[in-house]
């Protein structure tokens, strides 16, 4: 159906962010690295809302694209 399925949040420290969400009762998937070299984890809060957490190291395609905008 139409609508949002999740939203993304950029974090500075994936390990700290996922640990904080776990402590607050969220379901946190394993941390992984995407093909774009972004560090990712999906997190679902107790209400069923899914957040995609992203850490964007300098070698990620996201960070490289952002650097070119400046």
């Amino acid at each position: 159906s139409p609508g949002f399925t999740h939203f993304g949040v950029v974090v500075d420290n994936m390990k700290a962010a996922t640990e904080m969400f776990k402590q607050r009762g969220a379901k946190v998937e394993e941390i992984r690295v995407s093909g774009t070299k972004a560090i990712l984890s999906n997190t679902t809060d107790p209400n069923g809302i899914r957040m995609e957490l992203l850490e964007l190291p300098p070698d990620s395609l996201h960070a490289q694209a952002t650097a070119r905008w400046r």
Side-chain angles (χ1 to χ4, degrees):
S1 61
F4 291 100
T5 60
H6 73 286
F7 62 95
V9 177
V10 176
V11 299
D12 292 327
N13 183 317
M14 182 62 71
K15 288 182 182 181
T18 55
E19 187 57 37
M20 183 267 304
F21 280 111
K22 283 180 188 177
Q23 289 177 358
R24 295 180 182 194
K27 176 187 168 199
V28 178
E29 294 181 11
E30 285 192 38
I31 297 170
R32 65 192 186 287
V33 178
S34 73
T36 64
K37 300 183 183 176
I39 301 166
L40 306 172
S41 179
N42 283 304
T43 302
T44 305
D45 78 7
N47 297 310
I49 298 171
R50 183 168 67 96
M51 297 175 287
E52 180 180 25
L53 303 178
L54 304 100
E55 182 179 336
L56 305 175
D59 65 336
S60 72
L61 296 182
H62 302 77
Q64 291 176 23
T66 301
R68 287 191 299 269
W69 296 340
R70 295 182 183 157

